[in-house]
Amino acid sequence: MPTRRYGRTTITLPDPGDDPYLGVINSPPRPGSTVTEFRYTDQDIRDLDLTETDLRNGILHNVNAQRTTIENVRFSSVRITDSDLGSLQLTGSKASRTLFRDCRLMGAAITGAVLDSVLFENCRLDYAAFDRIRASGPVVFDRCVLTEATFTACDLTGVVMHDCTLRATGFGAGTYKELDLSGSDLSTIRGVGNLREAVISRAQQHQLTDALLAELDVTYSEDLPPHH
C-alpha cells in the first residue's frame, strides 16, 4: 500500500491497482451486496443510493449525481475521484484506506462515520455538516475548501488540515486533541474555545486572536463616540 506523510502523520492510501483488470459495473451495487475489484466510472445520474454495501478495492471516477445517499456502507481501499456527489447524505458508514480526490461534496451531511486512513485531497466541502465523526486512524484534509462547514460532537484526534480554506468554518463541542491546523488560515474560524489541545504554529497565534475577537463581538473603546 502506498503511504504519504503530512508532518508527523503518515497515511496509508488505497493501492492504485491495475485498472484494466478491475471489473466494470454499470449500476450502483444492490443493498446488502459485497463488491470487490470494481470500476464504476463516467456516470451522470439523478440518484446514487448505496445502502448496506461493502465496497472493496475499487474506483469511482467521474460520477455525477444530483442526490447521493450512502447509508451503512463500508469502504475499504476505494478511490473516489473527479466526482460530484450532490446533496450527499452519508450516515453510519466506515471508511479505511479511502481517497476522495478532486470531488465536490458541497452541502454534504456526514453523520456517525468512522474514518481510518482517509484522505480528502483538493475537495470542495463548503457548507458540509460533520456530526459525530470519529477518526480511528489517520485522516487528512489536503488543500480542501471548507467554507462555513461545521463540526459537531466529532472526535478529530490527530486529524490534519493541510493548506485548507477554513473561511467561517465552525468547530463545535468535540475532541480535537492534536488536530493539526498548522497549515491553514485560522483568522475566521468559529468555536475557537473548543479547540483545546489542537496543534498550530507560532505564526498562527494572531490568527486565533482575530477569530476569538470576532466571535466575542467586542467593541474597541477608541471606536465609541464620546459621552456628552
Side-chain angles (χ1 to χ4, degrees), residues 31-72:
S33 63
T34 297
V35 183
T36 63
E37 307 291 339
F38 69 93
R39 296 178 70 241
Y40 182 58
T41 63
D42 302 321
Q43 301 289 324
D44 194 353
I45 55 180
R46 180 181 178 86
D47 298 310
L48 174 61
D49 292 312
L50 299 173
T51 306
E52 302 285 349
T53 55
D54 194 346
L55 304 179
R56 305 176 186 174
N57 305 311
I59 296 171
L60 284 81
H61 175 75
N62 192 30
V63 176
N64 300 304
Q66 295 180 31
R67 187 184 65 84
T68 308
T69 301
I70 299 175
E71 185 175 359
N72 297 326

Side-chain angles (χ1 to χ4, degrees), residues 135-211:
S136 64
V139 176
V140 175
F141 295 84
D142 181 19
R143 291 169 291 138
C144 292
V145 180
L146 294 117
T147 300
E148 294 191 38
T150 58
F151 294 88
T152 306
C154 294
D155 183 349
L156 302 186
T157 299
V159 170
V160 176
M161 293 187 175
H162 173 259
D163 196 18
C164 291
T165 299
L166 302 178
R167 190 177 300 112
T169 303
F171 295 92
T175 301
Y176 301 104
K177 184 176 181 179
E178 296 185 1
L179 166 64
D180 191 343
L181 300 166
S182 58
S184 300
D185 186 345
L186 309 180
S187 58
T188 64
I189 65 171
R190 300 171 180 173
V192 176
N194 293 319
L195 293 175
R196 293 175 178 84
E197 299 185 86
V199 176
I200 67 170
S201 67
R202 294 190 185 280
Q204 291 174 299
Q205 292 182 64
H206 73 279
Q207 296 176 2
L208 280 188
T209 300
D210 290 346

Side-chain angles (χ1 to χ4, degrees), residues 113-140:
V114 179
L115 308 178
D116 180 7
S117 292
V118 175
L119 171 61
F120 296 89
E121 184 178 45
N122 196 34
C123 292
R124 294 297 302 263
L125 289 150
D126 309 73
Y127 315 110
F130 296 85
D131 183 28
R132 290 174 284 122
I133 305 304
R134 181 168 66 89
S136 64
V139 176
V140 175

